[in-house]
Amino acid sequence: MNKILFTTSWDDGSVLDLKIADLLSHYGMKGTFYIPKSFDGKNDKHSAYNRRLTENEICSIATSHEVGGHSLTHRRLTNISLEEARGEIFACKDFLDKVTGSPTKAFAYPGGEFDRQITGIVKEAGFKVARTTQKLTIQMTKGQFLMSPTIICQPFPFRKLDANRYYFGRILDPVNAYTPKQFVPSWQSLARKWFKKSLVEGSYFHLYGHSWELEKYGMWQELESFLKFVKEYGDVIYLSNSEVMEQV
């Protein structure tokens, strides 16, 4: 069994990130919180899930965890001009550097969308690490600007509308996204399976998600149960995203 690095990341800057930060701190774990300066979510799924973090709340998270960039306004960077993308990336870093008083090292591509030019701008802006959304990764082999998570904290194996209703029109989306070799009955089973796999075959385990989705789907107890499960293993080192990539 390997000694592995365990990290988590959380996108979008919902006020519910404070709840995740407290939960991670309780278990001696670390998170990287990817925060856009503004993201009103008008006319989309985000609008119903609380307000954004204030600058003081961002500073509060930064005292125990890592704060990362997620563009200025959460625009998909490959859907806009390079000039606009440059503005989104540079202004985001400038904003967070000033709020936290420290250089912001990590960046997450909004929607997981990037190309070689976007990655180049992220490097140019001074970020040291960038995270994608490509799942089922347990090896740190893709480079500093292609950090990929292992598991996303979302309902599995069936897609849901909320905590109590299934989204029948797209019910198999989670299974189709992961295409697991064998069926697993729940998010817990999937996460534990890949954590054990990382202990044997990998070098790290990276859990990511969105705090507003944990609220939407009623998954807080599931998340805490998984964190308790991880803490049962001694061969685990808890780091932020950028700290993990510094080991590469």
Side-chain angles (χ1 to χ4, degrees):
M1 185 173 293
N2 299 323
K3 184 176 285 294
I4 67 161
L5 310 179
F6 182 91
T7 191
T8 73
S9 59
W10 310 93
D11 292 3
D12 296 348
S14 166
V15 69
L16 290 165
D17 284 358
L18 295 170
K19 186 173 180 178
I20 288 184
D22 287 343
L23 187 61
L24 292 173
S25 293
H26 177 74
Y27 288 100
M29 299 176 176
K30 290 189 177 182
T32 298
F33 293 82
Y34 291 106
I35 303 171
K37 182 178 181 180
S38 61
F39 181 17
D40 60 22
K42 289 180 179 178
N43 301 317
D44 70 19
K45 60 187 178 182
H46 304 280
S47 60
Y49 297 97
N50 288 302
R51 59 172 174 82
R52 319 311 322 151
L53 292 163
T54 66
E55 292 187 11
N56 285 339
E57 288 166 341
I58 293 172
C59 286
S60 175
I61 288 175
T63 60
S64 301
H65 301 280
E66 180 175 38
V67 168
H70 202 33
S71 81
L72 192 67
T73 62
H74 203 271
R75 299 172 74 188
R76 302 296 176 98
L77 299 175
T78 55
N79 293 343
I80 57 180
S81 70
L82 283 180
E83 182 179 354
E84 290 175 300
R86 181 182 298 276
E88 287 276 337
I89 294 165
F90 272 78
C92 168
K93 188 174 191 304
D94 183 61
F95 166 67
L96 291 174
D97 287 356
K98 289 178 179 177
V99 168
T100 64
S102 300
T104 307
K105 296 181 179 180
F107 183 85
Y109 305 106
E113 296 181 5
F114 66 95
D115 56 27
R116 186 166 57 184
Q117 291 174 304
I118 296 300
T119 297
I121 297 172
V122 171
K123 293 179 184 179
E124 185 183 344
F127 290 102
K128 306 301 180 184
V129 174
R131 199 215 68 208
T132 74
T133 57
Q134 299 166 356
K135 297 176 283 293
L136 301 185
T137 299
I138 57 175
Q139 297 284 0
M140 298 179 295
T141 58
K142 296 182 179 181
Q144 300 289 114
F145 293 87
L146 293 175
M147 185 182 196
S148 300
T150 312
I151 295 293
I152 183 171
C153 189
Q154 286 181 333
F156 190 91
F158 303 122
R159 182 163 178 162
K160 303 182 79 173
L161 279 174
D162 53 37
N164 301 309
R165 296 180 297 168
Y166 287 102
Y167 188 172
F168 289 104
R170 299 176 62 183
I171 197 167
L172 294 180
D173 277 7
V175 174
N176 292 335
Y178 281 102
T179 59
K181 293 182 179 179
Q182 62 187 62
F183 180 83
V184 290
S186 68
W187 174 82
Q188 283 275 5
S189 299
L190 184 69
R192 294 180 187 213
K193 170 187 172 181
W194 279 87
F195 179 75
K196 290 178 180 179
K197 184 178 178 69
S198 70
L199 287 171
V200 176
E201 303 176 17
S203 55
Y204 88 131
F205 183 96
H206 184 165
L207 176 68
Y208 104 103
H210 307 81
S211 60
W212 59 267
E213 285 194 317
L214 292 173
E215 183 74 12
K216 175 181 180 179
Y217 299 124
M219 295 181 67
W220 292 103
Q221 289 185 343
E222 293 179 30
L223 173 61
E224 184 163 12
S225 176
F226 178 67
L227 299 183
K228 287 180 180 179
F229 165 78
V230 172
K231 287 294 288 187
E232 294 174 0
Y233 291 81
D235 295 325
V236 183
I237 301 170
Y238 302 102
L239 299 173
S240 68
N241 284 190
S242 65
E243 288 172 336
V244 165
M245 296 311 289
E246 287 169 1
Q247 306 298 312
V248 177

